[in-house]
């Protein structure tokens, strides 16, 4: 039985979902940061549980054939590039397997179905298959703090901590970002602008957020500060303008003691409050708080694949819903293909940018709605042929998935940055029995990290019609056990057991209303008495 401070030799056989090496010692799984499959390693046990342990890599006794020398001097301590020591070809294999494993284990999708649906991973162009591409991110956020010697520093948080690892030249971001960071640090030191202290709540400088449009060359600099006013702002702007491409300098005020980076108020110091980027023949406005994919080269291919999944084989115009639409990237791409698009987004700045993007690209067949998706779908039904969704890492709310299934679109395109929540949501939808996973493809959007982007297509398969009317006869129901009132769960389980398919709360509420059973006001109701059911 392993215990804390034990030292062992371990053969690493696989990678965990967060990039940690996994080996087994006397049947117990040991997770070791920075270890790679094929390593023979000396490991210190730092935490011991009954069925697994965590270890610290002391030395590599025999390196894996996939191990390379990291090009970043702080790669082991920084929490960003978990796979910096892994050959790029092996990294791609790991990411494909990560998605496949999640869809199988969590999503309950059979290996045969996955083999038939999977397309090869989309990788960034590399020369020798070993080192992953550099300088691919169009956005970086550097937290400020103080080093042990009292100097003002910036960098990135170490993994699972808020300890800052000093890094003034991250190889994942454009070189101009390093120049900008150096100017801001020099400014802070010269004018004694103190960094924010998370423990005391004192200090002014919280984060430096930088964004760049790779096609346009435009750069935005955003200083996140605790107070409304940045002292000596004119001097800072003057110094920053020595960097080519800067079109926007803003401050963002965040007075709250929180881990959330941006506050609600942005103040312009120079230029305009946004920059522009181009994807294909479309031009997009990006503000400090806007969501925009961080790897434009891969994002362009990802969006093309999403459009292919949504429109392939369709000849006539369709209605399309784009849920969590951000600044409207996929909404506008779909609109260019003749669809009338409804985009839902909760971030007001992103909605503002989306509407500006629509006007700037001379597109008029998109309606953007500012709302949380789950809030909108509680009060409204989706009337459309195609649904695209690109939710945050946490995935979609079950109530939203139910509303989507109830709308019975012919195709559902799911874009995900987290294989686990993707698999969970797919299983929820596939369990209804109306859809099947037709295709999916992974995209290496985040080189050297454990993260991967996936696009999935769900289609109705053999179901010809867009919507199917199902009538329930309450008189024919065996209501034994329901005499004191059936809960929604009881009704759902009874229908599943008796008829072999799954219904949503919305289905049940609509049928109950049709038969005169009065619902409370907070239940979902159809927009019309003739609303059809899947």
């Amino acid at each position: 039985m392993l215990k804390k401070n034990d030292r062992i030799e371990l053969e690493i056989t696989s990678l965990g979902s967060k990039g940690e090496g996994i080996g087994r010692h006397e049947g117990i799984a040991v997770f070791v940061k920075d270890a790679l499959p094929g390593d023979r390693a000396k490991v210190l046990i730092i935490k011991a549980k009954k069925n697994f342990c965590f270890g610290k890599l002391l030395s590599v006794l025999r390196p894996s054939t996939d191990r390379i020398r990291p090009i970043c001097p702080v790669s082991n301590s920084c929490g960003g590039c978990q796979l910096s020591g892994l050959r790029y070809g092996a990294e791609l294999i790991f990411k494909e397997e990560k998605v496949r494993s999640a869809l199988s284990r969590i999503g309950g999708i059979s290996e045969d179905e996955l083999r038939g649906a999977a397309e090869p991973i989309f990788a960034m162009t590399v020369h020798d298959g070993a080192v992953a591409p550099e300088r691919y991110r169009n956005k970086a956020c550097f937290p400020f703090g103080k080093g042990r010697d009292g100097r003002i520093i910036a960098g990135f948080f170490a993994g699972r901590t808020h300890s800052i690892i000093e890094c003034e030249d991250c190889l994942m971001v454009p070189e101009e970002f390093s120049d900008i960071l150096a100017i801001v640090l020099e400014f802070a030191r010269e004018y004694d602008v103190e960094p924010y202290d998370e423990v005391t709540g004192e200090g002014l400088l919280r984060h430096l957020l930088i964004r760049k449009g790779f096609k346009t060359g435009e750069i935005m600099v955003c200083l996140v500060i605790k107070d409304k006013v940045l002292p000596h702002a004119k001097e800072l702007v003057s110094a920053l303008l020595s960097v080519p491409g800067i079109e926007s300098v803003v401050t963002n005020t965040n007075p709250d003691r929180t881990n959330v980076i941006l506050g609600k108020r942005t103040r312009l110091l120079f230029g305009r409050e946004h920059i522009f980027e181009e994807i294909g023949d479309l031009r997009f406005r990006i503000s400090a708080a806007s969501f925009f994919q961080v790897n434009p080269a891969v994002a362009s291919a990802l969006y093309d694949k999403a459009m292919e999944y949504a429109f392939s084989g369709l000849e006539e115009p369709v209605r399309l819903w784009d849920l969590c639409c951000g600044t409207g990237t996929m909404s506008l791409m779909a609109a260019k293909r003749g669809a009338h698009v409804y985009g839902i987004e909760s971030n007001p700045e992103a909605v503002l940018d989306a509407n500006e993007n629509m006007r700037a690209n001379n597109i008029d067949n998109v309606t953007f709605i500012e709302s949380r998706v789950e809030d909108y779908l509680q009060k409204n039904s989706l009337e459309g042929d195609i649904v695209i969704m690109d939710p945050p890492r946490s995935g979609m709310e079950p109530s939203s998935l139910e509303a989507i299934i109830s709308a019975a679109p012919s195709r559902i395109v799911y874009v995900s940055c987290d294989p686990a929540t993707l698999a969970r949501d797919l299983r929820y939808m596939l369990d209804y029995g109306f859809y099947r996973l037709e295709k999916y493809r992974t995209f290496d959007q985040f080189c050297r990290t454990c993260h991967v982007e996936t696009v999935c297509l769900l289609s109705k398969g053999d179901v010809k019609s867009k919507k199917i009317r199902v009538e329930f006869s309450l008189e024919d129901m065996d209501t034994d056990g329901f005499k004191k009132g059936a809960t929604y769960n009881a009704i759902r389980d009874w229908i599943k057991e008796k008829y072999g398919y799954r219904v949503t709360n919305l289905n049940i509420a609509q049928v109950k209303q049709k038969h005169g059973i009065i619902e409370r006001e907070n239940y979902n109701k159809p927009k019309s008495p003739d609303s059809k059911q899947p």
Side-chain angles (χ1 to χ4, degrees), residues 469-490:
R469 181 181 293 276
V470 176
E471 296 291 349
F472 294 95
S473 171
L474 297 187
E475 291 77 12
D476 294 338
M477 288 179 62
D478 177 6
T479 58
D480 287 347
F482 291 173
K483 293 179 181 178
K484 293 184 179 180
T487 65
Y488 272 58
N489 285 339

Side-chain angles (χ1 to χ4, degrees), residues 434-496:
F434 307 137
Y435 293 90
R436 64 182 178 87
L437 176 62
E438 185 170 327
K439 294 179 182 179
Y440 77 93
R441 190 173 191 183
T442 52
F443 290 79
D444 188 26
Q445 179 96 314
F446 314 101
C447 302
R448 288 208 182 97
T449 78
C450 295
H451 303 299
V452 62
E453 200 93 4
T454 309
V455 183
C456 294
L457 169 63
L458 301 186
S459 67
K460 284 187 175 179
D462 295 332
V463 179
K464 303 292 184 185
S465 61
K466 292 180 180 177
K467 296 185 179 180
I468 303 169
R469 181 181 293 276
V470 176
E471 296 291 349
F472 294 95
S473 171
L474 297 187
E475 291 77 12
D476 294 338
M477 288 179 62
D478 177 6
T479 58
D480 287 347
F482 291 173
K483 293 179 181 178
K484 293 184 179 180
T487 65
Y488 272 58
N489 285 339
I491 295 172
R492 196 162 51 237
D493 293 344
W494 179 85
I495 293 171
K496 176 70 173 176

Side-chain angles (χ1 to χ4, degrees), residues 253-364:
T253 302
N254 184 355
D256 300 329
R257 300 186 71 165
T258 173
N259 290 335
V260 176
I261 293 174
L262 292 176
K264 296 180 180 179
R265 177 173 295 181
T266 300
R267 178 170 174 254
L268 181 65
L269 299 182
F270 168 80
R272 54 180 187 260
E273 291 187 358
H274 57 271
I275 58 173
F276 289 101
E277 177 61 302
E278 296 173 0
I279 295 182
D281 59 351
L282 293 171
R283 186 173 173 88
F284 296 94
R285 182 176 112 157
I286 306 169
S287 302
S290 298
F291 171 78
F292 202 82
Q293 296 285 4
V294 299
N295 186 334
V298 176
S300 180
L302 183 151
Y303 291 140
D304 286 344
K305 180 57 65 173
M307 293 301 106
E308 176 191 320
Y309 283 175
F311 290 97
S312 179
L314 297 180
E315 297 180 358
E316 55 188 44
V318 297
R319 292 166 299 172
L320 183 145
W321 288 84
D322 183 7
L323 310 183
C324 309
C325 66
T327 56
T329 313
M330 287 192 287
S331 296
L332 300 186
M333 289 181 171
K336 291 276 283 187
R337 287 163 171 79
H340 189 93
V341 182
Y342 300 87
I344 303 179
E345 171 58 43
S346 62
N347 185 315
E349 285 192 44
V351 174
L352 178 64
D353 286 341
N355 279 298
E356 289 295 332
N357 291 335
M358 179 176 64
R359 286 188 283 270
N361 288 283
N362 297 314
I363 293 172
D364 60 6

Side-chain angles (χ1 to χ4, degrees), residues 158-197:
R160 300 174 183 172
T161 76
H162 271 214
S163 300
I164 296 177
I165 303 299
E166 189 172 4
C167 178
E168 297 185 7
D169 183 22
C170 174
L171 298 174
M172 300 298 102
V173 302
E175 293 179 352
E176 301 99 314
F177 287 22
S178 301
D179 298 333
I180 293 168
L181 178 58
I183 290 171
V184 174
L185 285 172
E186 184 178 349
F187 160 80
R189 292 162 184 163
E190 180 178 354
Y191 292 100
D192 294 323
V193 182
E194 288 291 296
Y196 179 76
D197 188 315

